[in-house]
Amino acid sequence: RRSVGVRSTNKERHARLAHSRNLQALADAMNVNGDRYYKLNLQNLCTGRQPTLKFRQHSATVQYDKVNAWIRFCVALVLNSARLAPPSCMASSNKPLDEQLELLFHHVIKDRALRDFYLDRQDQVMEHGGGAEEACCASCAHGNPCRTTGRARKRQQ
């Protein structure tokens, strides 16, 4: 068993996911050694413990607009991925990230308001020096101590 997360190139990861022909193979590819603590946890579906899959990518927040957008995104991703054929235009990952995001929203998510929310959110994060170190809360975004950890966030120059 080799998972996509352990010392794999993106090409190897994409191939492993593309060749998964059943739920167990997909879960093995996504969750190393059955570990639940990855961005996408499929273990409950495999064990029959609960009929759930878990997305663990979003940072903690109490901001309604962020929570609402994340839930809408996850629901649209799951439902539309199950009912729509895979868009051929997304087969290549050689496209710039902005174009990939636009294609994802156009062909899979199919929610313009949600796309606009995430584009606005991207602008907000970049405006506040986010980039790879996105602020986890409004306090962090303004260079103040984090409301969650109490630690000061270093702003990018």
Side-chain angles (χ1 to χ4, degrees):
R1 275 188 187 178
R2 181 159 182 217
S3 173
V4 292
V6 179
R7 294 186 182 118
S8 300
T9 66
N10 282 340
K11 185 176 183 178
E12 290 171 330
R13 290 175 188 153
H14 292 174
R16 177 105 165 133
L17 292 172
H19 290 96
S20 296
R21 296 292 176 232
N22 59 47
L23 179 60
Q24 187 62 55
L26 183 61
D28 289 346
M30 292 302 299
N31 303 116
V32 178
N33 298 322
D35 191 352
R36 301 176 173 295
Y37 302 101
Y38 285 89
K39 292 179 181 183
L40 178 62
N41 174 7
L42 302 172
Q43 293 304 306
N44 284 341
L45 293 175
C46 293
T47 63
R49 183 172 164 241
Q50 295 175 4
T52 60
L53 57 106
K54 296 179 182 177
F55 293 91
R56 297 178 183 218
Q57 287 179 268
H58 203 287
S59 60
T61 186
V62 294
Q63 293 180 8
Y64 174 80
D65 59 337
K66 287 183 182 181
V67 173
N68 180 32
W70 181 242
I71 291 170
R72 288 174 44 216
F73 178 86
C74 290
V75 168
L77 178 67
V78 170
L79 291 178
N80 291 341
S81 293
R83 80 180 172 88
L84 301 172
S88 59
C89 63
M90 294 184 71
S92 169
S93 62
N94 296 336
K95 295 177 173 72
L97 288 177
D98 287 347
E99 187 176 340
Q100 290 181 44
L101 183 66
E102 192 63 40
L103 290 169
L104 174 69
F105 276 98
H106 182 76
H107 293 284
V108 180
I109 304 301
K110 298 186 175 287
D111 183 330
R112 286 185 191 151
L114 193 55
R115 180 203 62 197
D116 292 346
F117 170 84
Y118 280 110
L119 291 175
D120 289 346
R121 180 75 183 116
Q122 181 183 32
D123 290 344
Q124 290 170 3
V125 169
M126 297 309 284
E127 181 180 313
H128 292 290
E133 294 182 346
E134 181 179 342
C136 67
C137 64
S139 186
C140 284
H142 292 97
N144 299 317
C146 179
R147 291 184 189 149
T148 305
T149 66
R151 292 191 305 256
R153 178 175 180 271
K154 294 179 183 175
R155 294 186 66 146
Q156 292 181 344
Q157 300 298 325

